[in-house]
Amino acid sequence: NPELLLIFSTAYMLSGVLLSRVFIGHIFFVYAMAWIPLIYYFFLKLTQKAEITVFNISALALCETILLFTGGLYYVFFGNAILVIFFLYYLYSGRINRNTWIALGCSFCLFFSISAIKLIPNFMGMPYIQRIDLINPLGDGGLLENNFASFIFGTPIDTIFGSYETMALIGVIPVLFAILALIWGDRDITVPSFLAIVFSLIWADGGRILLSFVHLMPLVNSFRNAGRIFGAIMPIVLLL
């Protein structure tokens, strides 16, 4: 639906999570987040819509590659973590057939073939890279009500980082529509979306809840500012 795509794209382009990054000059973050909706789009084409075409396979691999080369490694992890949630749900519901496995495998192989020039040196050098600033994986994040307020009013979720780091302004009307969609929408979209949103809220809580051990996983335990995951979940909320 071209009209819905126009509304969705405009809302995402004018969202707080992108504009706040422009405000502090993190343009590479904005460029990285610009590719996340396309990654979700082509992934859903291959899985939920079962449109197994060379174009969709290549487009998913290309968007993943561009996201990696922007340098926004936060969003490479966040975006693909959300894709894993969708994939596991579709696997559980029996929507992942042999052709889908092959398509996703081909897309991954194409992605790895193109991006190996960056991936391999990164993995080899990772044990020797130290952050200049000290990172406490459980040291930031916000309460649940702060997280929801960030979506509706654009407020920061914690006192450590400013609104430019943790703001995800969507607005009350789209959020209400998203809630209605979660109740009455297509289960193939709403159930994995709900699980992905729950995961994002758990992550954005930082070290405030029992499930915060996810921040201690290898490779991501050097991430700071848990609220940045809202940049990856925002297209899902607007999609609803």
Side-chain angles (χ1 to χ4, degrees):
N1 189 316
E3 288 77 19
L4 286 179
L5 284 175
L6 176 63
I7 295 172
F8 173 89
S9 304
T10 304
Y12 185 66
M13 182 178 66
L14 298 177
S15 64
V17 73
L18 269 73
L19 294 180
S20 61
R21 307 309 299 182
V22 175
F23 172 70
I24 58 171
H26 282 186
I27 306 301
F28 75 97
F29 271 146
V30 177
Y31 189 62
M33 287 187 286
W35 295 95
I36 292 178
L38 281 176
I39 291 174
Y40 296 160
Y41 175 75
F42 289 114
F43 176 83
L44 290 174
K45 281 277 193 178
L46 293 173
T47 54
Q48 199 261 342
K49 294 293 184 183
E51 296 182 10
I52 311 299
T53 65
V54 173
F55 177 78
N56 289 337
I57 293 171
S58 303
L60 177 60
L62 181 62
C63 291
E64 287 273 14
T65 302
I66 294 175
L67 177 61
L68 174 69
F69 275 84
T70 61
L73 295 181
Y74 280 80
Y75 297 110
V76 174
F77 169 76
F78 292 149
N80 284 284
I82 290 170
L83 290 188
V84 168
I85 293 173
F86 274 75
F87 175 80
L88 291 176
Y89 174 78
Y90 292 144
L91 185 64
Y92 172 78
S93 59
R95 298 191 65 89
I96 304 296
N97 54 32
R98 181 169 175 267
N99 291 336
T100 307
W101 276 106
I102 294 173
L104 293 176
C106 290
S107 183
F108 174 79
C109 290
L110 182 59
F111 159 71
F112 185 80
S113 299
I114 300 173
S115 59
I117 192 173
K118 181 176 176 65
L119 276 177
I120 295 176
N122 280 359
F123 279 116
M124 292 180 64
M126 197 170 294
Y128 308 102
I129 297 176
Q130 298 292 329
R131 289 286 300 249
I132 297 175
D133 49 344
L134 297 177
I135 299 297
N136 178 6
L138 304 179
D140 66 311
L143 299 171
L144 185 62
E145 57 268 29
N146 295 11
N147 298 340
F148 282 120
S150 178
F151 284 120
I152 299 173
F153 304 110
T155 58
I157 69 171
D158 56 41
T159 58
I160 300 176
F161 299 101
S163 60
Y164 49 82
E165 291 278 16
T166 60
M167 185 174 72
L169 179 60
I170 298 177
V172 63
I173 301 301
V175 169
L176 289 176
F177 284 153
I179 294 172
L180 293 176
L182 286 171
I183 299 173
W184 287 292
D186 183 355
R187 288 179 58 87
D188 287 339
I189 293 292
T190 58
V191 174
S193 295
F194 175 76
L195 297 175
I197 292 171
V198 169
F199 172 77
S200 72
L201 293 174
I202 292 172
W203 187 276
D205 274 337
R208 298 174 179 271
I209 58 176
L210 292 177
L211 297 176
S212 296
F213 66 88
V214 294
H215 291 268
L216 302 176
M217 293 187 297
L219 304 182
V220 299
N221 56 1
S222 62
F223 286 2
R224 66 172 186 174
N225 192 355
R228 282 182 181 173
I229 195 173
F230 289 153
I233 201 63
M234 178 174 285
I236 299 295
V237 178
L238 290 174
L239 172 66
L240 292 169

